[in-house]
Coordinates of all heavy atoms in Angstrom, one line a residue:
Y1 N 146.9 121.7 132.9 CA 145.5 121.8 133.4 C 144.6 122.4 132.3 O 143.5 121.9 132.1 CB 145.5 122.7 134.7 CG 144.1 123.1 135.2 CD1 143.4 122.1 135.8 CD2 143.6 124.3 135.0 CE1 142.1 122.4 136.3 CE2 142.4 124.7 135.4 CZ 141.6 123.7 136.1 OH 140.4 124.0 136.5
C2 N 145.0 123.4 131.6 CA 144.2 124.1 130.6 C 144.0 123.1 129.4 O 142.9 123.1 128.9 CB 144.9 125.3 130.1 SG 144.8 126.7 131.2
S3 N 144.9 122.3 129.1 CA 144.7 121.4 128.0 C 143.8 120.3 128.3 O 143.0 119.9 127.5 CB 146.1 120.9 127.5 OG 146.6 120.0 128.5
R4 N 143.8 119.9 129.6 CA 142.9 118.9 130.0 C 141.4 119.4 130.0 O 140.5 118.8 129.6 CB 143.2 118.4 131.5 CG 144.0 117.1 131.4 CD 144.0 116.5 132.8 NE 145.4 116.7 133.3 CZ 145.6 116.8 134.6 NH1 144.7 116.8 135.5 NH2 146.9 117.0 135.0
K5 N 141.3 120.6 130.5 CA 140.0 121.3 130.6 C 139.4 121.5 129.1 O 138.3 121.2 128.9 CB 140.1 122.6 131.3 CG 138.8 123.2 131.7 CD 139.1 124.4 132.6 CE 137.8 124.9 133.1 NZ 137.9 126.1 133.9
L6 N 140.3 121.9 128.2 CA 139.9 122.1 126.8 C 139.5 120.8 126.2 O 138.5 120.7 125.5 CB 141.0 122.8 126.1 CG 140.7 123.1 124.6 CD1 139.5 124.0 124.5 CD2 141.9 123.7 123.9
S7 N 140.3 119.7 126.4 CA 140.0 118.4 125.8 C 138.7 117.8 126.4 O 138.0 117.2 125.6 CB 141.2 117.5 126.0 OG 141.3 117.1 127.3
S8 N 138.4 118.1 127.6 CA 137.2 117.5 128.2 C 136.0 118.3 127.6 O 134.9 117.7 127.4 CB 137.2 117.6 129.7 OG 137.1 118.9 130.2
R9 N 136.1 119.5 127.3 CA 135.0 120.3 126.7 C 134.8 119.8 125.3 O 133.7 119.7 124.9 CB 135.4 121.8 126.7 CG 135.2 122.5 128.0 CD 135.4 124.0 127.8 NE 135.5 124.6 129.0 CZ 135.9 125.8 129.2 NH1 136.4 126.5 128.2 NH2 136.0 126.4 130.4
V10 N 135.9 119.5 124.6 CA 135.8 119.0 123.2 C 135.1 117.7 123.2 O 134.3 117.4 122.3 CB 137.1 119.0 122.5 CG1 137.1 118.3 121.2 CG2 137.7 120.4 122.4
E11 N 135.5 116.8 124.2 CA 134.9 115.5 124.2 C 133.4 115.6 124.6 O 132.6 114.8 124.2 CB 135.6 114.6 125.2 CG 137.0 114.2 124.8 CD 137.8 113.6 125.9 OE1 137.3 113.3 127.0 OE2 139.0 113.3 125.6
R12 N 133.0 116.5 125.5 CA 131.6 116.7 125.9 C 130.8 117.3 124.8 O 129.6 117.1 124.8 CB 131.5 117.5 127.2 CG 131.8 116.6 128.4 CD 131.5 117.4 129.6 NE 132.7 118.1 130.0 CZ 132.8 119.2 130.7 NH1 131.7 119.7 131.2 NH2 133.9 119.8 131.0
A13 N 131.3 118.1 124.0 CA 130.5 118.8 123.0 C 129.8 117.9 122.0 O 128.6 118.0 121.8 CB 131.4 119.8 122.2
P14 N 130.4 116.8 121.5 CA 129.6 115.9 120.6 C 128.5 115.2 121.4 O 127.4 115.0 120.9 CB 130.7 114.9 120.1 CG 132.0 115.6 120.2 CD 131.8 116.6 121.4
T15 N 128.8 114.8 122.6 CA 127.8 114.1 123.4 C 126.6 115.1 123.7 O 125.5 114.6 123.6 CB 128.4 113.7 124.8 OG1 129.6 112.9 124.5 CG2 127.4 112.9 125.6
T16 N 126.9 116.3 124.0 CA 125.8 117.3 124.2 C 125.0 117.5 122.9 O 123.8 117.5 123.0 CB 126.4 118.6 124.7 OG1 127.2 118.4 125.8 CG2 125.3 119.6 125.0
M17 N 125.7 117.5 121.8 CA 125.0 117.7 120.5 C 124.2 116.4 120.2 O 123.1 116.5 119.7 CB 126.0 118.0 119.4 CG 126.6 119.4 119.5 SD 127.8 119.7 118.3 CE 127.1 119.3 116.7
M18 N 124.7 115.3 120.5 CA 124.0 114.0 120.3 C 122.7 114.0 121.2 O 121.6 113.6 120.7 CB 124.8 112.8 120.6 CG 125.8 112.5 119.5 SD 126.9 111.2 120.0 CE 126.1 109.7 119.6
N19 N 122.9 114.4 122.4 CA 121.7 114.4 123.3 C 120.7 115.4 122.8 O 119.5 115.1 122.9 CB 122.2 114.8 124.7 CG 122.9 113.7 125.4 OD1 122.8 112.5 125.0 ND2 123.6 114.0 126.5
A20 N 121.1 116.6 122.3 CA 120.1 117.6 121.8 C 119.4 117.0 120.6 O 118.2 117.2 120.4 CB 120.9 118.9 121.5
D21 N 120.2 116.3 119.7 CA 119.6 115.7 118.5 C 118.6 114.6 118.9 O 117.6 114.5 118.3 CB 120.7 115.1 117.6 CG 121.5 116.2 116.9 OD1 121.1 117.4 116.9 OD2 122.6 115.9 116.4
M22 N 119.0 113.8 119.9 CA 118.1 112.8 120.3 C 116.8 113.3 120.9 O 115.7 112.8 120.7 CB 118.8 111.8 121.3 CG 119.9 111.0 120.6 SD 120.9 110.0 121.8 CE 119.6 109.0 122.6
D23 N 117.0 114.4 121.7 CA 115.8 115.1 122.3 C 114.9 115.6 121.2 O 113.7 115.5 121.3 CB 116.2 116.2 123.2 CG 116.9 115.7 124.5 OD1 116.7 114.5 124.8 OD2 117.5 116.5 125.2
A24 N 115.5 116.2 120.1 CA 114.7 116.7 119.0 C 114.0 115.5 118.3 O 112.8 115.7 117.9 CB 115.6 117.5 118.1
V25 N 114.7 114.4 118.1 CA 114.1 113.3 117.4 C 112.9 112.7 118.3 O 111.9 112.4 117.8 CB 115.1 112.2 117.1 CG1 114.5 110.9 116.7 CG2 116.1 112.7 116.1
E26 N 113.2 112.6 119.6 CA 112.1 112.1 120.5 C 110.9 113.1 120.5 O 109.8 112.6 120.5 CB 112.7 112.0 122.0 CG 113.5 110.8 122.2 CD 113.9 110.6 123.6 OE1 113.1 111.0 124.5 OE2 115.0 110.1 123.9
A27 N 111.2 114.4 120.5 CA 110.0 115.3 120.5 C 109.3 115.2 119.2 O 108.0 115.2 119.2 CB 110.6 116.7 120.6
E28 N 110.0 115.0 118.1 CA 109.4 114.8 116.8 C 108.5 113.5 116.7 O 107.4 113.5 116.2 CB 110.4 114.8 115.7 CG 109.8 114.8 114.3 CD 110.9 114.9 113.2 OE1 111.9 115.7 113.4 OE2 110.8 114.2 112.2
N29 N 109.1 112.5 117.3 CA 108.4 111.2 117.4 C 107.2 111.3 118.2 O 106.1 110.7 117.9 CB 109.3 110.1 117.9 CG 110.4 109.7 116.9 OD1 110.2 109.9 115.7 ND2 111.4 109.0 117.4
Q30 N 107.2 112.1 119.3 CA 106.1 112.3 120.2 C 105.0 113.0 119.5 O 103.8 112.7 119.6 CB 106.5 113.0 121.5 CG 105.4 113.2 122.5 CD 104.9 111.9 123.1 OE1 105.7 110.9 123.2 NE2 103.6 111.9 123.4
V31 N 105.4 114.0 118.7 CA 104.4 114.8 117.9 C 103.7 113.9 116.9 O 102.5 113.9 116.7 CB 105.1 116.0 117.3 CG1 104.2 116.7 116.2 CG2 105.5 117.0 118.3
E32 N 104.5 113.1 116.2 CA 104.0 112.2 115.2 C 103.1 111.2 115.9 O 102.0 110.8 115.3 CB 105.1 111.4 114.5 CG 105.9 112.3 113.5 CD 107.0 111.5 112.8 OE1 107.0 110.3 112.9 OE2 107.8 112.2 112.1
L33 N 103.4 110.6 117.0 CA 102.6 109.7 117.7 C 101.3 110.3 118.1 O 100.2 109.7 118.0 CB 103.3 109.1 118.9 CG 102.6 108.1 119.8 CD1 102.3 106.8 118.9 CD2 103.4 107.7 121.0
E34 N 101.3 111.5 118.6 CA 100.1 112.2 119.0 C 99.2 112.5 117.8 O 98.0 112.3 117.9 CB 100.4 113.6 119.7 CG 101.0 113.4 121.1 CD 101.5 114.7 121.7 OE1 101.4 115.7 121.1 OE2 102.0 114.6 122.9
E35 N 99.8 112.8 116.7 CA 99.1 113.1 115.5 C 98.4 111.8 115.0 O 97.2 111.8 114.6 CB 100.0 113.7 114.4 CG 99.3 113.9 113.0 CD 98.3 115.0 113.1 OE1 98.2 115.8 114.1 OE2 97.5 115.2 112.1
K36 N 99.2 110.7 115.0 CA 98.6 109.4 114.6 C 97.5 109.0 115.5 O 96.4 108.5 115.0 CB 99.7 108.3 114.6 CG 100.7 108.4 113.5 CD 101.7 107.3 113.6 CE 102.7 107.4 112.5 NZ 103.8 106.4 112.6
T37 N 97.6 109.2 116.8 CA 96.6 108.9 117.8 C 95.3 109.7 117.5 O 94.2 109.2 117.5 CB 97.1 109.1 119.2 OG1 98.2 108.3 119.4 CG2 96.0 108.8 120.2
R38 N 95.5 111.0 117.2 CA 94.4 111.9 116.9 C 93.7 111.4 115.7 O 92.4 111.4 115.6 CB 94.9 113.3 116.8 CG 93.8 114.4 116.6 CD 94.3 115.7 116.3 NE 95.0 115.8 115.0 CZ 94.3 115.9 113.8 NH1 93.0 115.9 113.8 NH2 95.0 116.0 112.7
L39 N 94.4 111.1 114.6 CA 93.8 110.6 113.4 C 93.1 109.3 113.5 O 92.0 109.1 113.0 CB 94.9 110.5 112.3 CG 95.5 111.8 111.8 CD1 96.6 111.6 110.8 CD2 94.4 112.6 111.1
I40 N 93.7 108.4 114.3 CA 93.0 107.1 114.6 C 91.7 107.3 115.3 O 90.7 106.8 114.9 CB 93.9 106.2 115.4 CG1 95.1 105.7 114.5 CG2 93.2 105.0 116.0 CD1 96.2 104.9 115.2
N41 N 91.7 108.2 116.3 CA 90.5 108.5 117.0 C 89.4 109.1 116.1 O 88.2 108.8 116.2 CB 90.8 109.4 118.2 CG 91.5 108.7 119.3 OD1 91.4 107.5 119.5 ND2 92.2 109.4 120.1
Q42 N 89.9 110.0 115.2 CA 89.0 110.7 114.3 C 88.4 109.6 113.3 O 87.2 109.7 113.1 CB 89.7 111.8 113.5 CG 88.8 112.6 112.7 CD 89.6 113.7 112.0 OE1 90.8 113.8 112.0 NE2 88.9 114.7 111.4
V43 N 89.2 108.7 112.8 CA 88.7 107.7 111.9 C 87.7 106.8 112.7 O 86.6 106.5 112.1 CB 89.9 106.8 111.4 CG1 89.4 105.5 110.7 CG2 90.7 107.6 110.4
L44 N 88.0 106.4 113.9 CA 87.0 105.6 114.7 C 85.7 106.3 114.9 O 84.6 105.7 114.8 CB 87.7 105.2 116.0 CG 88.8 104.2 115.9 CD1 89.5 104.0 117.3 CD2 88.4 102.9 115.4
E45 N 85.8 107.6 115.2 CA 84.6 108.4 115.4 C 83.8 108.5 114.1 O 82.5 108.3 114.1 CB 84.9 109.8 115.9 CG 83.8 110.7 116.2 CD 84.1 112.1 116.7 OE1 85.3 112.2 117.2 OE2 83.3 113.0 116.5
L46 N 84.5 108.6 113.0 CA 83.8 108.7 111.7 C 83.1 107.3 111.3 O 82.0 107.3 110.8 CB 84.7 109.1 110.6 CG 85.1 110.6 110.6 CD1 86.2 110.9 109.6 CD2 83.9 111.5 110.4
Q47 N 83.8 106.3 111.7 CA 83.3 104.9 111.5 C 82.0 104.7 112.3 O 81.0 104.2 111.7 CB 84.3 103.8 111.8 CG 85.4 103.6 110.8 CD 86.4 102.6 111.2 OE1 86.5 102.3 112.4 NE2 87.1 102.0 110.2
H48 N 82.0 105.1 113.5 CA 80.8 105.0 114.3 C 79.7 105.9 113.8 O 78.5 105.4 113.8 CB 81.1 105.4 115.8 CG 82.0 104.5 116.5 ND1 81.7 103.1 116.7 CD2 83.2 104.6 117.1 CE1 82.7 102.5 117.3 NE2 83.6 103.4 117.6
T49 N 80.0 107.1 113.3 CA 79.0 107.9 112.7 C 78.4 107.3 111.5 O 77.2 107.3 111.3 CB 79.6 109.3 112.4 OG1 80.1 109.9 113.6 CG2 78.6 110.3 111.8
L50 N 79.3 106.7 110.7 CA 78.8 106.0 109.5 C 77.9 104.8 109.8 O 76.8 104.6 109.2 CB 80.0 105.6 108.6 CG 79.6 104.9 107.3 CD1 78.8 105.8 106.4 CD2 80.9 104.4 106.6
E51 N 78.3 104.1 110.8 CA 77.4 103.0 111.2 C 76.1 103.4 111.7 O 75.0 102.9 111.4 CB 78.1 102.2 112.4 CG 79.3 101.4 111.9 CD 80.1 100.8 113.1 OE1 79.8 101.1 114.2 OE2 81.1 100.1 112.8
D52 N 76.1 104.5 112.5 CA 74.8 105.1 113.0 C 73.9 105.6 111.8 O 72.7 105.3 111.8 CB 75.1 106.3 113.9 CG 75.7 105.8 115.3 OD1 75.6 104.6 115.5 OD2 76.2 106.7 116.0
L53 N 74.5 106.3 110.9 CA 73.8 106.8 109.7 C 73.3 105.6 108.9 O 72.1 105.6 108.4 CB 74.7 107.7 108.8 CG 75.0 109.0 109.4 CD1 76.0 109.8 108.6 CD2 73.7 109.9 109.6
S54 N 74.1 104.6 108.7 CA 73.6 103.4 107.9 C 72.4 102.7 108.6 O 71.5 102.3 107.9 CB 74.8 102.4 107.8 OG 74.4 101.3 107.0
A55 N 72.5 102.6 109.9 CA 71.4 102.0 110.6 C 70.1 102.9 110.5 O 69.0 102.3 110.4 CB 71.8 101.8 112.1
R56 N 70.3 104.2 110.5 CA 69.2 105.1 110.4 C 68.6 105.0 109.0 O 67.3 105.0 108.9 CB 69.6 106.5 110.7 CG 68.6 107.6 110.5 CD 67.5 107.5 111.6 NE 66.6 108.5 111.4 CZ 65.3 108.4 111.4 NH1 64.8 107.2 111.7 NH2 64.4 109.4 111.2
V57 N 69.4 104.9 108.0 CA 68.9 104.7 106.6 C 68.1 103.4 106.5 O 67.0 103.4 105.9 CB 70.1 104.7 105.6 CG1 69.6 104.2 104.2 CG2 70.6 106.2 105.5
D58 N 68.6 102.4 107.1 CA 67.9 101.1 107.0 C 66.5 101.2 107.7 O 65.5 100.7 107.2 CB 68.7 100.0 107.7 CG 69.9 99.6 106.9 OD1 70.0 99.9 105.6 OD2 70.9 99.0 107.4
A59 N 66.5 101.9 108.9 CA 65.2 102.0 109.6 C 64.3 102.9 108.8 O 63.1 102.5 108.8 CB 65.5 102.7 111.0
V60 N 64.7 103.9 108.2 CA 63.9 104.8 107.4 C 63.3 104.0 106.1 O 62.2 104.1 105.8 CB 64.6 106.1 106.9 CG1 63.8 106.8 105.9 CG2 64.8 107.0 108.1
K61 N 64.2 103.2 105.5 CA 63.7 102.4 104.4 C 62.6 101.4 104.8 O 61.6 101.3 104.1 CB 64.9 101.6 103.8 CG 65.8 102.3 102.9 CD 66.9 101.4 102.4 CE 67.9 102.1 101.5 NZ 68.9 101.2 101.0
E62 N 62.8 100.8 106.0 CA 61.8 99.8 106.5 C 60.5 100.6 106.8 O 59.4 100.1 106.4 CB 62.4 99.2 107.7 CG 61.5 98.0 108.3 CD 62.2 97.4 109.5 OE1 63.4 97.1 109.4 OE2 61.4 97.1 110.4
E63 N 60.6 101.7 107.4 CA 59.4 102.5 107.7 C 58.7 102.9 106.4 O 57.5 102.9 106.3 CB 59.8 103.7 108.6 CG 58.6 104.6 109.0 CD 57.7 103.9 110.0 OE1 58.1 102.9 110.6 OE2 56.5 104.4 110.1
N64 N 59.5 103.3 105.4 CA 58.9 103.7 104.1 C 58.2 102.6 103.5 O 57.1 102.8 103.0 CB 60.1 104.2 103.2 CG 59.6 104.8 101.9 OD1 58.5 105.5 101.9 ND2 60.3 104.6 100.9
L65 N 58.7 101.4 103.5 CA 58.1 100.3 102.9 C 56.7 100.0 103.6 O 55.7 99.7 103.0 CB 59.0 99.0 102.9 CG 60.1 99.0 101.9 CD1 61.0 97.8 102.2 CD2 59.6 99.0 100.5
K66 N 56.8 100.1 104.9 CA 55.6 99.8 105.8 C 54.5 100.8 105.4 O 53.3 100.5 105.2 CB 56.0 99.9 107.2 CG 54.8 99.7 108.2 CD 55.3 99.9 109.6 CE 54.1 99.9 110.6 NZ 54.5 100.2 111.9
L67 N 54.9 102.1 105.3 CA 53.9 103.2 105.0 C 53.4 103.0 103.6 O 52.2 103.2 103.3 CB 54.5 104.5 105.2 CG 54.8 105.0 106.6 CD1 55.6 106.3 106.6 CD2 53.6 105.1 107.4
K68 N 54.2 102.6 102.6 CA 53.7 102.4 101.3 C 52.7 101.3 101.3 O 51.6 101.4 100.6 CB 54.9 102.0 100.3 CG 55.7 103.1 99.8 CD 56.7 102.7 98.8 CE 57.5 103.8 98.3 NZ 58.5 103.3 97.3
S69 N 52.9 100.2 102.0 CA 52.0 99.1 102.1 C 50.7 99.6 102.7 O 49.6 99.2 102.2 CB 52.6 98.0 102.9 OG 51.7 96.9 103.1
E70 N 50.8 100.3 103.8 CA 49.6 100.8 104.4 C 48.8 101.8 103.5 O 47.5 101.7 103.4 CB 49.9 101.6 105.7 CG 50.4 100.7 106.8 CD 50.8 101.4 108.1 OE1 50.7 102.7 108.1 OE2 51.3 100.8 109.0
N71 N 49.5 102.6 102.7 CA 48.8 103.5 101.7 C 48.1 102.7 100.7 O 47.0 103.1 100.2 CB 49.8 104.4 101.1 CG 50.2 105.6 102.0 OD1 49.5 105.9 103.0 ND2 51.3 106.2 101.7
Q72 N 48.7 101.6 100.2 CA 48.0 100.7 99.2 C 46.7 100.1 99.8 O 45.7 100.1 99.1 CB 49.0 99.6 98.7 CG 50.1 100.1 97.8 CD 51.0 99.0 97.4 OE1 51.1 97.9 98.1 NE2 51.7 99.1 96.3
V73 N 46.8 99.7 101.0 CA 45.6 99.1 101.7 C 44.5 100.2 101.8 O 43.4 99.9 101.5 CB 46.0 98.5 103.0 CG1 44.7 98.1 103.8 CG2 46.9 97.3 102.8
L74 N 44.9 101.3 102.3 CA 43.9 102.4 102.4 C 43.4 102.9 101.1 O 42.2 103.1 100.9 CB 44.6 103.6 103.1 CG 44.9 103.5 104.6 CD1 45.6 104.6 105.2 CD2 43.5 103.3 105.4
G75 N 44.2 102.9 100.1 CA 43.8 103.3 98.7 C 42.8 102.3 98.2 O 41.7 102.7 97.6
Q76 N 43.0 101.0 98.4 CA 42.1 100.0 97.9 C 40.8 100.1 98.7 O 39.7 100.0 98.2 CB 42.7 98.6 98.1 CG 41.9 97.5 97.5 CD 41.7 97.6 96.0 OE1 42.7 97.9 95.3 NE2 40.5 97.4 95.6
Y77 N 40.9 100.3 100.0 CA 39.7 100.5 100.9 C 38.8 101.6 100.4 O 37.6 101.5 100.3 CB 40.1 100.7 102.3 CG 39.0 100.9 103.3 CD1 38.2 99.8 103.7 CD2 38.8 102.1 103.9 CE1 37.1 100.0 104.5 CE2 37.7 102.3 104.7 CZ 36.9 101.3 105.1 OH 35.9 101.4 106.0
I78 N 39.5 102.8 100.1 CA 38.7 103.9 99.6 C 38.1 103.7 98.3 O 36.9 104.0 98.1 CB 39.7 105.2 99.6 CG1 40.0 105.6 101.0 CG2 39.0 106.3 98.8 CD1 41.1 106.6 101.0
E79 N 38.8 103.0 97.4 CA 38.2 102.6 96.1 C 37.0 101.7 96.3 O 36.0 101.9 95.6 CB 39.2 101.9 95.2 CG 40.2 102.8 94.5 CD 41.1 102.0 93.6 OE1 40.6 101.1 92.9 OE2 42.3 102.4 93.5
N80 N 37.1 100.8 97.2 CA 36.0 99.9 97.4 C 34.8 100.6 98.0 O 33.6 100.4 97.6 CB 36.4 98.8 98.4 CG 37.3 97.8 97.8 OD1 37.4 97.7 96.6 ND2 38.0 97.0 98.6
L81 N 35.0 101.6 98.9 CA 33.9 102.4 99.5 C 33.3 103.2 98.4 O 32.0 103.4 98.4 CB 34.4 103.3 100.6 CG 34.8 102.6 101.9 CD1 35.3 103.6 102.9 CD2 33.5 102.0 102.5
M82 N 34.1 103.8 97.6 CA 33.5 104.7 96.5 C 32.7 103.9 95.5 O 31.7 104.3 95.1 CB 34.7 105.4 95.8 CG 35.3 106.5 96.7 SD 36.8 107.3 96.0 CE 36.2 107.8 94.4
S83 N 33.2 102.7 95.2 CA 32.4 101.9 94.2 C 31.1 101.4 94.8 O 30.1 101.2 94.1 CB 33.3 100.8 93.7 OG 33.6 99.8 94.7
A84 N 31.1 101.2 96.1 CA 29.9 100.7 96.8 C 28.9 101.8 97.1 O 27.7 101.5 97.2 CB 30.3 100.0 98.1
S85 N 29.3 103.0 97.0 CA 28.5 104.2 97.4 C 27.8 104.7 96.1 O 28.4 104.8 95.1 CB 29.3 105.3 98.0 OG 28.5 106.4 98.2
S86 N 26.5 105.0 96.2 CA 25.8 105.5 95.1 C 26.2 107.0 94.8 O 26.0 107.4 93.6 CB 24.3 105.4 95.3 OG 23.9 106.2 96.4
V87 N 26.7 107.7 95.7 CA 27.2 109.1 95.5 C 28.3 109.1 94.5 O 28.3 110.0 93.6 CB 27.6 109.7 96.8 CG1 28.2 111.1 96.6 CG2 26.5 109.7 97.8
F88 N 29.1 108.1 94.4 CA 30.3 108.1 93.5 C 30.0 107.3 92.3 O 30.9 107.2 91.5 CB 31.5 107.6 94.2 CG 32.0 108.5 95.4 CD1 31.7 108.1 96.7 CD2 32.6 109.7 95.1 CE1 32.1 108.9 97.7 CE2 33.0 110.5 96.2 CZ 32.7 110.1 97.5
Q89 N 28.8 106.8 92.1 CA 28.5 106.0 90.9 C 28.4 107.0 89.7 O 27.9 108.1 89.8 CB 27.2 105.3 91.0 CG 27.2 104.2 92.1 CD 28.2 103.1 91.7 OE1 28.3 102.7 90.6 NE2 28.9 102.6 92.7
T90 N 28.9 106.6 88.5 CA 28.8 107.4 87.3 C 27.4 107.3 86.8 O 26.8 106.2 86.8 CB 29.8 106.9 86.3 OG1 29.5 105.6 86.0 CG2 31.2 107.1 86.7
T91 N 26.9 108.4 86.4 CA 25.5 108.5 85.9 C 25.6 108.8 84.4 O 26.4 109.7 84.0 CB 24.7 109.5 86.6 OG1 25.3 110.7 86.6 CG2 24.5 109.0 88.1
D92 N 24.8 108.3 83.6 CA 24.7 108.6 82.2 C 23.6 109.7 82.1 O 22.4 109.4 82.0 CB 24.3 107.3 81.4 CG 24.5 107.6 79.9 OD1 24.9 108.7 79.5 OD2 24.2 106.6 79.2
T93 N 24.0 110.9 81.9 CA 23.1 112.1 81.9 C 22.4 112.1 80.6 O 21.2 112.6 80.5 CB 23.9 113.4 82.1 OG1 24.9 113.5 81.1 CG2 24.4 113.5 83.5
K94 N 22.9 111.6 79.5 CA 22.2 111.6 78.2 C 21.0 110.7 78.2 O 20.0 111.1 77.7 CB 23.2 111.2 77.1 CG 24.3 112.2 76.8 CD 25.1 111.7 75.6 CE 26.3 112.7 75.4 NZ 27.2 112.2 74.4
S95 N 21.1 109.6 78.8 CA 20.0 108.6 78.8 C 18.9 109.1 79.7 O 17.7 108.9 79.5 CB 20.4 107.2 79.2 OG 20.9 107.3 80.5
K96 N 19.2 109.9 80.7 CA 18.1 110.4 81.6 C 17.4 111.5 81.0 O 16.2 111.8 81.3 CB 18.8 110.9 82.9 CG 19.2 109.8 83.8 CD 19.6 110.3 85.2 CE 20.0 109.1 86.1 NZ 20.4 109.5 87.4
R97 N 18.0 112.3 80.1 CA 17.3 113.4 79.4 C 16.3 112.9 78.4 O 15.4 113.6 78.1 CB 18.4 114.3 78.8 CG 19.2 115.1 79.8 CD 20.1 116.1 79.0 NE 21.0 116.7 80.0 CZ 22.0 117.4 79.6 NH1 22.2 117.7 78.4 NH2 22.9 117.9 80.5
K98 N 16.6 111.8 77.8 CA 15.7 111.3 76.7 C 14.4 110.8 77.2 O 13.8 110.6 77.9 CB 16.4 110.2 75.9 CG 17.5 110.8 75.1 CD 18.1 109.7 74.3 CE 19.2 110.2 73.4 NZ 19.8 109.2 72.7

């Protein structure tokens, strides 16, 4: 009876160790899977952020070009007004003194 009990314990010991090893491997795999999932989610979030920033840069560039064009038109308009106004005409002070 004692030898049977001892031999069954010896036979069960490797199985128990294998199960423990398999549980450790499964736990490690689960941790790796969770880490990969977290990294994938982080990459996706960063991609969306980059897309948003890129769209914002494009919008700002477009607005900048529009404002530059408007500034040129206003600048030309102001120049035309100044040239048409007698207040801004250059006067030759030397010829008037003579």
Side-chain angles (χ1 to χ4, degrees):
Y1 171 75
C2 285
S3 67
R4 265 194 251 152
K5 195 172 186 182
L6 182 59
S7 68
S8 72
R9 284 185 191 165
V10 170
E11 288 172 6
R12 277 188 272 159
T15 305
T16 305
M17 287 174 52
M18 280 170 89
N19 286 341
D21 289 343
M22 288 175 60
D23 289 344
V25 168
E26 280 185 33
E28 187 176 317
N29 287 342
Q30 183 65 29
V31 168
E32 286 180 13
L33 181 63
E34 288 172 0
E35 179 67 10
K36 285 180 184 179
T37 302
R38 187 186 66 78
L39 289 173
I40 288 169
N41 288 336
Q42 188 176 12
V43 166
L44 291 173
E45 184 179 335
L46 289 171
Q47 283 178 337
H48 292 301
T49 301
L50 180 59
E51 288 171 358
D52 292 343
L53 288 172
S54 181
R56 177 71 178 132
V57 165
D58 290 342
V60 168
K61 282 182 180 179
E62 189 176 316
E63 181 69 16
N64 187 35
L65 289 173
K66 179 182 170 187
L67 290 173
K68 278 184 180 181
S69 175
E70 289 176 4
N71 281 343
Q72 286 177 339
V73 169
L74 288 173
Q76 187 63 45
Y77 178 72
I78 290 170
E79 278 184 39
N80 290 342
L81 286 176
M82 288 172 55
S83 66
S85 172
S86 62
V87 174
F88 296 105
Q89 295 295 320
T90 58
T91 57
D92 191 0
T93 55
K94 289 182 183 176
S95 63
K96 286 187 176 181
R97 287 185 193 173
K98 290 181 180 178

